Amino acid sequence: MTIHTRFTELFKIKHPLLSAPMGGVAGGKLAATVSNAGALGFVGGGYGDIAWLERELGITAREARQPWGVGLITWKATREMVDLCLRFKPHAFFLSFGDPEPYVDQIKSQGVKVVCQVQDLAGARKALAAGAEVLVAQGSEAGGHGATRGTLPLVAAVVDLAGDTPVLAAGGIADGRGLAAALILGAAGAVMGTRFYASDEAQADRQAKERIIQTSADDTVRTRVFDIARGYDWPEGYTGRAIRNRFTERWHGREDELMAVANEERAKFQRAAAAGDYDTKMIFAGEGLDLIRDIQPAVRIVSGIVRDAEQSLRAGTALLR
Ligand SMILES: Cc1cc2nc3c(=O)[nH]c(=O)nc-3n(C[C@H](O)[C@H](O)[C@H](O)COP(=O)(O)O)c2cc1C
């Protein structure tokens, strides 16, 4: 049995599941593996590191036998970065955090589908008007950057708004139950980031993955302190959900003070990050953390999620009398 949705139809793929374009964590290997397993895998181009993108997109383009995609952080993107990505012939382009309009025609002109991640209804309306072919409704439960709306009501509201455009749910979804719930809300599938962080193929060291499987979502926080420390000037309204550590304990809530000493702290932060010191360096992760207990090959993650989602959907219909 397979779960058939407008999303699986659009890309002619087997499963209504997309692995998120996690900047620097979702490399070419993860994207290709997820796609070859029947879901839609994405390379996380993040802020647009050219050398990284060329290497990782080369891997996906060589290894993927099924549709795959690439994502960029929209407010940091440029037409040149978009062109570079398009040269590798992805099937989908994921734009989030900012106005997608300047890039939609450029992407569509190459026959590549535009997926826009939105955090509220205003963003959804804008993305639809710009020509998005898939919307991702991302709730604040998500790992990494996002905003304030909760996944459950946001997804339903975006589904109501989107008409024939397929909507995927993102934020705190990490297993088959979550995927089934998203489908029941009317979504055409789900986006998962944190679950794929704890995969063999994710580009992160063992220590970070171990923290993912050992930490409860109770110990995450939405914060700007890592952006300030890294010198990223995120637009108003966005924070990043990360595992709490010594750095957040010290600076979260004292952002103005951190900004005042940003140069000094940045150098210290960079040294700690280079040394893999996760008491300082961030691990972005979502509220699905409690549901992630092991590091697995991505192929097994995909098949387990789909199997459990089918079971949940069957269990749901069994409630009807
Ligand atoms: C480590 C990490 C890095 C992320 N980086 C990006 C990114 O560069 N661009 C982006 O659009 N979304 C990024 N996200 C957010 C995802 O697109 C997605 O919304 C999120 O992972 C869904 O929530 P979940 O982590 O609870 O599954 C990131 C998420 C994580 C966990």
Side-chain angles (χ1 to χ4, degrees):
M1 182 167 299
T2 57
I3 303 172
H4 187 85
T5 72
R6 260 182 293 170
F7 172 67
T8 60
E9 206 170 280
L10 184 66
F11 288 101
K12 304 202 179 350
I13 56 174
K14 217 165 149 194
H15 304 309
L17 177 61
L18 187 160
S19 65
M22 296 177 283
V25 172
K29 189 85 199 166
L30 178 61
T33 307
V34 168
S35 284
N36 290 341
L40 193 61
F42 275 75
V43 174
Y47 301 94
D49 177 332
I50 301 296
W52 188 92
L53 272 169
E54 285 184 333
R55 188 182 65 235
E56 300 302 324
L57 291 171
I59 293 171
T60 322
R62 269 196 309 280
E63 296 189 6
R65 298 179 303 276
Q66 301 291 332
W68 60 276
V70 57
L72 289 174
I73 291 172
T74 317
W75 66 264
K76 198 75 171 77
T78 62
R79 289 185 70 83
E80 290 69 30
M81 281 180 211
V82 171
D83 263 337
L84 182 150
C85 295
L86 290 172
R87 265 192 266 131
F88 290 85
K89 309 238 170 283
H91 301 77
F93 213 113
F94 196 107
L95 295 169
S96 39
F97 317 126
D99 182 6
E101 205 271 333
Y103 308 108
V104 169
D105 288 347
Q106 186 186 2
I107 295 167
K108 282 188 171 176
S109 72
Q110 302 301 304
V112 178
K113 300 263 183 282
V114 178
V115 179
C116 289
Q117 181 160 255
V118 300
Q119 290 76 32
D120 53 27
L121 295 189
R125 282 190 199 99
K126 237 182 178 170
L128 286 171
E133 289 154 299
V134 177
L135 289 185
V136 178
Q138 186 212 36
S140 79
E141 294 92 321
H145 286 86
T148 55
R149 297 282 314 265
T151 302
L152 194 123
L154 178 66
V155 169
V158 174
V159 166
D160 286 347
L161 192 87
D164 290 339
T165 306
V167 176
L168 305 181
I173 304 174
D175 63 14
R177 291 172 295 181
L179 171 55
L183 295 169
I184 296 295
L185 286 175
V191 172
M192 298 190 199
T194 308
R195 174 57 273 194
F196 285 102
Y197 199 135
S199 68
D200 290 344
E201 292 84 355
Q203 267 188 19
D205 58 35
R206 190 81 197 172
Q207 214 197 129
K209 293 182 189 179
E210 292 285 346
R211 286 201 186 202
I212 292 273
I213 63 175
Q214 283 161 10
T215 307
S216 164
D218 289 357
D219 295 319
T220 65
V221 61
R222 294 209 73 94
T223 186
R224 287 173 54 228
V225 296
F226 295 117
D227 297 332
I228 298 170
R230 295 181 300 166
Y232 289 133
D233 195 10
W234 272 78
E236 195 64 32
Y238 295 108
T239 54
R241 183 177 295 282
I243 293 176
R244 286 179 200 277
N245 63 5
R246 264 209 323 257
F247 196 78
T248 59
E249 290 311 303
R250 175 148 185 229
W251 293 112
H252 183 67
R254 297 172 55 208
E255 286 76 7
D256 288 346
E257 282 172 70
L258 175 58
M259 270 187 298
V261 292
N263 285 342
E264 200 180 305
E265 282 300 319
R266 197 161 299 153
K268 275 201 256 169
F269 186 89
Q270 277 165 356
R271 276 197 300 277
D277 167 11
Y278 289 103
D279 290 332
T280 299
K281 189 182 178 181
M282 74 283 158
I283 298 175
F284 285 127
E287 290 197 25
L289 274 182
D290 301 308
L291 313 173
I292 302 168
R293 300 189 187 93
D294 45 20
I295 302 162
Q296 289 185 17
V299 171
R300 201 161 355 123
I301 295 177
V302 171
S303 61
I305 288 168
V306 172
R307 183 198 57 224
D308 292 349
E310 287 170 7
Q311 204 175 321
S312 292
L313 290 171
R314 265 189 233 109
T317 58
L319 295 173
L320 296 170
R321 289 281 187 278

